[in-house]
C-alpha cells in the first residue's frame, strides 16, 4: 500500500522542552560541530531566532576552540578586545586592550551560560564522519558513541585548529620533549635547559619572550623573518570597566572606532600600495628603535612586502632575541638527531627540548576528509583535486545543507573574524527559513554559481599583497592559489550574506515516501 505522506521524519522546528542534547540516534534540525566562536555563536544565533532543535558536538570537555587549546605562555589575540567579541554580547570588563587567551576562553564560557547553550552541547564527542544521506535527505553524523542525524550540518571546526608539524628527517629520533605551540606541555620544565624553537610566526613571537628568561640557551630557527609593529597593548583599569558597564554606548563607540580604523585599511592589502608604505615605515622604525645592531637588523628585515604574511604585533620579540642566551639561526631545520637539531646551515646544535611554532594545516585540514556529500564525494578528495572552494565561503556544491563556518576565502588580514562569523550566522538562519517557506529538504549551491563566484574571488585576490607580495604563507595552497582570505571589506561580506539567495541553489525536494521507503521505515520505527 502506498502512503502519500510527505516527509514524516522531521520533528517540529521548535523544541523548547528538549533540553538534553545527549542522546545518540536523535534527529535534529541542526547539528553543529565545535564550540569555538563559530559553534557557540551559531548555537546562540539559533536560540535567539527561536530555534531550539539543535545539538552541538564537541570533542573536548569544555568550550573554547583554539582559545581553549592554545595554552602556550603569552598567548594573546592581535585584534582589540572590544572588537573580538560578539556584537550581541559586549563584555565591559576586558582587562587589556588586546585580550589574553584566558579572558577570551572565559568569555566564551560565560556566553555559553548566559545564552543557555550548555545544555545543548554534548562534550567529549568527536565527530568521526558525516555523510549526506540521499535517501533520507539529511546528514548522518557519526561519533564513537553513536550516530545523530540532521537536516543541516554546521561545521565550526576552525581553520587554525590542526597543528602542522614539519616532516623533518629524524624527527622521531629526538629523545627529549618535543611539542607544538598548540599542544603546549606545561609538564615540561624548561628551566635551565637548552631549547630550540622552530618558526617565527604569530605564536612563536608570543611565547619566545616568555621562555627566554627561563631557559639556559634558546636556539630560534627563523626561516623567514616576520614584519613586526608595536603592539600598543595597555591595561584597562577598573574605572574604565565600570564606565563601560554603566554606559554601554561608550563601549560601542570604542568598538566602532576599532572596527572602522581597520576597515579603512583594507584597500592597502587588496590594491593600494600607499597604505602599505605607511605600515612598512612603522615596522622599519620599530625595528630600528629596538635593534641597534645594523647587521642584526638586516637579518631581521623581511624579504617580502609587508602584509604578505600576517603582520605581527609585539614589543617583546626583538628585545627577547637579543638576549645573550638566544641564538637566531636564519635557516630552517634540515635534520633532527636524538639530542640535537641541525639547521639548513649544516651546524648541529645540542638541545634538550624542541618547540614547534610551525602553524596549522589550513588548506589540508583533516576534518574535510570526514565529510561525504552527494554521490559519495569526499570533501577532502574533492578539494585536493579541484582546489578548496565554496560559495560565499559557506556552502559547497554537492554538499547540501552543509554550512562551513570560516570556510574558504573568509579569513581576514585586517579585522575580527567574529564579524565574518556573525554574517555567516545570519546566512544560515536565512537558509533555514527559506527551507521552511519553500517546504524543501535542502539547498545545494548550483555548481555554475559557485564557479563564477570563485572566479571573481580569485581574479580579485590575485592583485592582493597576499598573492603578489613575494612570500609563501598559509594563505596560499600548494598550487599558489589563495583559498583562505576574503579579498574585500567586511562590509561587502556582510552585505553579500545578508539575505539567503535561494535562487543560487538547487532545491532538494522533501521526499515523497512510500510504505517500503527508508524514510517510512524510520518514521514507523519512531524516529
Ligand atoms: P604561522 O604564522 O604559519 O608561522 C609558522 C612559522 O613556522 C613560520 O615562521 C614558518 O616559516 C615556520 N615554519 C614552518 N615550517 C617550518 C619548517 N619546516 N622549518 C622551519 N620553519 C618552519 O603559524 P602560527 O605562528 O602558529 O600562526 C598561525 C596563525 O594563527 C596566524 O597567522 C594567526 O592568524 C593565528 N594566530 C594569531 C595569534 C594572535 O592573535 N596573536 C596568535 C597565534 C596565532 P616561514 O615563514 O618561512 O614559512
Amino acid at each position: 500500500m502506498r502512503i502519500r505522506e510527505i516527509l514524516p521524519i522531521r520533528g517540529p522546528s521548535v523544541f523548547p522542552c528538549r533540553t538534553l542534547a545527549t542522546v545518540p540516534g536523535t534527529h535534529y534540525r541542526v547539528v553543529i560541530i565545535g564550540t569555538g566562536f563559530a559553534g557557540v555563536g551559531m548555537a546562540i544565533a539559533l536560540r535567539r531566532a527561536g530555534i531550539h532543535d539543535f545539538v552541538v558536538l564537541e570533542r573536548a570537555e569544555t568550550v573554547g576552540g583554539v582559545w581553549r587549546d592554545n595554552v602556550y605562555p603569552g598567548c594573546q589575540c592581535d585584534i582589540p578586545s572590544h572588537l573580538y567579541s560578539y556584537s550581541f554580547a559586549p563584555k565591559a570588563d576586558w582587562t587589556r586592550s588586546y585580550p589574553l587567551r584566558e579572558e577570551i576562553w572565559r568569555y566564551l564560557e560565560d556566553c555559553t551560560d548566559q545564552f543557555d547553550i550548555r545544555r545543548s552541547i554534548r562534550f567529549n564527542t568527536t565527530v568521526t564522519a558525516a555523510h549526506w544521506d540521499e535517501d533520507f535527505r539529511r546528514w548522518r553524523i557519526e561519533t564513537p558513541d553513536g550516530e545523530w542525524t540532521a537536516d543541516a550540518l554546521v561545521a565550526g571546526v576552525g581553520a587554525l585548529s590542526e597543528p602542522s608539524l614539519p616532516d623533518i628527517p629524524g624527527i622521531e629520533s629526538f629523545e627529549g620533549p618535543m611539542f607544538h605551540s598548540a599542544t603546549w606541555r606545561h609538564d615540561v620544565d624548561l628551566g635551565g635547559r637548552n631549547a630550540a624553537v622552530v618558526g617565527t610566526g604569530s605564536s612563536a613571537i608570543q611565547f619566545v619572550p616568555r621562555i627566554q628568561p627561563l631557559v639556559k640557551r634558546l636556539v630560534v630557527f627563523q626561516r623567514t623573518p616576520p614584519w613586526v609593529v608595536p603592539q600598543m597593548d595597555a591595561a584597562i583599569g577598573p574605572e574604565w570597566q565600570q564606565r563601560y558597564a554603566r554606559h554601554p554606548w561608550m563601549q560601542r563607540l570604542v568598538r566602532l572606532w576599532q572596527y572602522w580604523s581597520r576597515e579603512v585599511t583594507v584597500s592597502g592589502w587588496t590594491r593600494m600600495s600607499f597604505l602599505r608604505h605607511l605600515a612598512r615605515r612603522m615596522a622599519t622604525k620599530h625595528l630600528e628603535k629596538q635593534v641597534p645592531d645594523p647587521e642584526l637588523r638586516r637579518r631581521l628585515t623581511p624579504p617580502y612586502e609587508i602584509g604578505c604574511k600576517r603582520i605581527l604585533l609585539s614589543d617583546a620579540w626583538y628585545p627577547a632575541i637579543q638576549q645573550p642566551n638566544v641564538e637566531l639561526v636564519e635557516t630552517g631545520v634540515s635534520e633532527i638527531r636524538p639530542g640535537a637539531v641541525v639547521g639548513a646551515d649544516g651546524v648541529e646544535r645540542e638541545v634538550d627540548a624542541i618547540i614547534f611554532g610551525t602553524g596549522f594545516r589550513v588548506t589540508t585540514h583533516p576534518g574535510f576528509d570526514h565529510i561525504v556529500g552527494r554521490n559519495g564525494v569526499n570533501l577532502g578528495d574533492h578539494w585536493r583535486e579541484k582546489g578548496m572552494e565554496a560559495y560565499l565561503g559557506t556552502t559547497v556544491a554537492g554538499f547540501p545543507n552543509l554550512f562551513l563556518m570560516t570556510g574558504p576565502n573568509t579569513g581576514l588580514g585586517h579585522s575580527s573574524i567574529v564579524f565574518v562569523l556573525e554574517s555567516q550566522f545570519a546566512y544560515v538562519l536565512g537558509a533555514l527559513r527559506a527551507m521552511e517557506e519553500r517546504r524543501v529538504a535542502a539547498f545545494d549551491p548550483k555548481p555554475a554559481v559557485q564557479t563564477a563566484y570563485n572566479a571573481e574571488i580569485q581574479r580579485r585576490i590575485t592583485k592582493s599583497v597576499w598573492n603578489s607580495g613575494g612570500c609563501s604563507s598559509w594563505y596560499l595552497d600548494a598550487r599558489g592559489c589563495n583559498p583562505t582570505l576574503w579579498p574585500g571589506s567586511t562590509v561587502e561580506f556582510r552585505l553579500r550574506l545578508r539575505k539567503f539567495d535561494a535562487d543560487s541553489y538547487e532545491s532538494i525536494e522533501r521526499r515523497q515516501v512510500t510504505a517500503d521507503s527508508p524514510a517510512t521505515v524510520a518514521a514507523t520505527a519512531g524516529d
Side-chain angles (χ1 to χ4, degrees):
M1 186 179 75
R2 293 201 173 265
I3 296 175
R4 290 171 308 283
E5 218 174 334
I6 296 174
L7 203 73
I9 54 175
R10 185 201 297 256
S13 321
V14 177
F15 283 157
C17 302
R18 181 148 75 180
T19 54
L20 286 177
T22 52
V23 192
T26 314
H27 178 76
Y28 283 94
R29 194 169 174 198
V30 183
V31 165
I32 300 168
I33 308 174
T35 60
F37 266 98
V40 169
M42 188 70 245
I44 295 172
L46 289 172
R47 187 141 286 160
R48 279 160 52 99
I51 299 172
H52 303 273
D53 186 11
F54 67 89
V55 65
V56 189
L57 303 178
E58 167 56 57
R59 65 182 173 183
E61 54 190 26
T62 59
V63 303
V66 294
W67 300 109
R68 173 198 59 225
D69 297 339
N70 280 264
V71 293
Y72 64 77
C75 183
Q76 188 175 13
C77 185
D78 57 7
I79 298 294
S81 307
H82 293 300
L83 189 56
Y84 200 73
S85 44
Y86 299 120
S87 60
F88 48 80
K91 173 176 157 67
D93 59 351
W94 290 111
T95 64
R96 303 206 65 82
S97 35
Y98 289 93
L100 303 171
R101 174 205 86 85
E102 293 86 348
E103 266 192 306
I104 306 173
W105 183 33
R106 251 185 283 125
Y107 170 75
L108 283 172
E109 287 274 8
D110 290 347
C111 288
T112 304
D113 291 326
Q114 187 189 335
F115 292 93
D116 195 18
I117 299 304
R118 201 172 294 277
R119 65 188 165 107
S120 300
I121 305 175
R122 185 178 164 106
F123 291 104
N124 300 308
T125 305
T126 302
V127 172
T128 50
H131 294 261
W132 173 252
D133 184 330
E134 203 72 49
D135 287 332
F136 287 93
R137 297 173 189 189
R138 48 165 59 170
W139 283 94
R140 294 196 170 279
I141 298 107
E142 291 170 22
T143 76
D145 297 343
E147 185 185 272
W148 278 261
T149 57
D151 295 345
L153 177 62
V154 175
V157 295
L160 298 165
S161 57
E162 281 294 324
S164 166
L165 266 185
D167 189 15
I168 299 172
I171 191 166
E172 66 297 329
S173 71
F174 189 68
E175 283 170 353
M178 181 169 64
F179 51 89
H180 189 276
S181 58
T183 52
W184 194 271
R185 291 213 16 217
H186 282 283
D187 61 316
V188 174
D189 181 8
L190 294 168
R193 296 175 109 174
N194 296 324
V197 168
V198 185
T200 53
S202 305
S203 304
I205 66 135
Q206 292 187 331
F207 69 74
V208 163
R210 294 301 189 93
I211 62 171
Q212 171 273 321
L214 309 176
V215 298
K216 186 169 161 210
R217 190 165 146 267
L218 188 63
V219 186
V220 177
F221 288 91
Q222 169 194 268
R223 198 166 58 177
T224 316
W227 283 108
V228 184
V229 295
Q231 187 186 18
M232 295 188 271
D233 185 28
I236 303 175
E239 64 289 358
W240 273 102
Q241 294 174 12
Q242 283 156 18
R243 243 172 243 148
Y244 290 139
R246 257 185 277 125
H247 310 293
W249 63 267
M250 287 179 90
Q251 193 182 357
R252 276 200 295 275
L253 214 61
V254 173
R255 183 179 162 101
L256 269 178
W257 160 252
Q258 291 173 343
Y259 173 75
W260 283 108
S261 60
R262 275 159 184 75
E263 197 65 359
V264 295
T265 67
V266 74
S267 62
W269 316 118
T270 55
R271 287 192 307 274
M272 280 162 48
S273 61
F274 154 72
L275 284 168
R276 288 208 291 278
H277 289 150
L278 292 181
R280 193 185 170 112
R281 256 194 33 210
M282 189 194 283
T284 309
K285 279 197 155 174
H286 187 49
L287 179 63
E288 283 169 2
K289 193 170 159 208
Q290 292 206 320
V291 182
D293 175 6
E295 171 54 17
L296 181 59
R297 277 209 301 271
R298 186 197 59 72
R299 294 165 60 201
L300 291 168
T301 302
Y304 57 84
E305 269 209 66
I306 191 163
C308 184
K309 288 173 186 276
R310 197 172 179 88
I311 299 173
L312 311 187
L313 274 53
S314 179
D315 301 322
W317 167 247
Y318 291 139
I321 54 172
Q322 291 173 85
Q323 296 307 309
N325 65 338
V326 179
E327 181 188 1
L328 183 72
V329 181
E330 291 161 81
T331 69
V333 174
S334 65
E335 190 189 339
I336 292 179
R337 295 180 184 157
V341 178
V342 184
D345 56 1
V347 178
E348 179 186 277
R349 292 164 179 93
E350 284 186 13
V351 293
D352 309 311
I354 306 176
I355 306 166
F356 292 98
T358 43
F360 298 88
R361 294 176 60 185
V362 180
T363 54
T364 57
H365 196 297
F368 308 144
D369 291 322
H370 302 312
I371 299 178
V372 179
R374 293 173 104 173
N375 306 314
V377 174
N378 176 295
L379 185 58
D381 290 342
H382 180 61
W383 277 350
R384 265 187 291 278
E385 193 187 319
K386 306 237 172 214
M388 193 174 153
E389 63 170 45
Y391 176 54
L392 297 176
T394 310
T395 52
V396 187
F399 297 80
N401 280 6
L402 170 67
F403 299 96
L404 302 171
M405 295 292 104
T406 59
N409 293 108
T410 57
L412 301 177
H414 72 289
S415 192
S416 170
I417 198 68
V418 184
F419 189 91
V420 165
L421 283 169
E422 289 191 23
S423 310
Q424 292 190 293
F425 301 156
Y427 194 74
V428 176
L429 291 179
L432 294 173
R433 267 193 302 271
M435 273 174 237
E436 287 292 316
E437 285 162 13
R438 296 179 181 226
R439 298 186 57 75
V440 297
F443 288 114
D444 188 6
K446 291 175 182 166
V449 171
Q450 183 175 304
T451 302
Y453 170 79
N454 281 282
E456 177 212 327
I457 296 295
Q458 290 306 322
R459 179 178 46 74
R460 287 170 62 183
I461 212 161
T462 308
K463 299 180 207 142
S464 73
V465 69
W466 311 306
N467 281 46
S468 61
C471 74
S472 70
S473 73
W474 62 261
Y475 298 158
L476 306 178
D477 65 15
R479 308 154 201 240
C481 290
N482 187 329
T484 55
L485 295 193
W486 170 246
S489 67
T490 60
V491 174
E492 182 195 341
F493 189 79
R494 171 82 31 118
L495 291 176
R496 288 181 83 155
L497 275 80
R498 190 187 40 160
K499 198 165 171 297
F500 181 73
D501 46 341
D503 294 342
S504 300
Y505 288 78
E506 177 199 338
S507 298
I508 298 179
E509 296 304 317
R510 292 177 178 182
R511 192 179 165 84
Q512 291 273 356
V513 289
T514 59
D516 50 358
S517 75
T520 312
V521 176
T524 50
D527 185 46

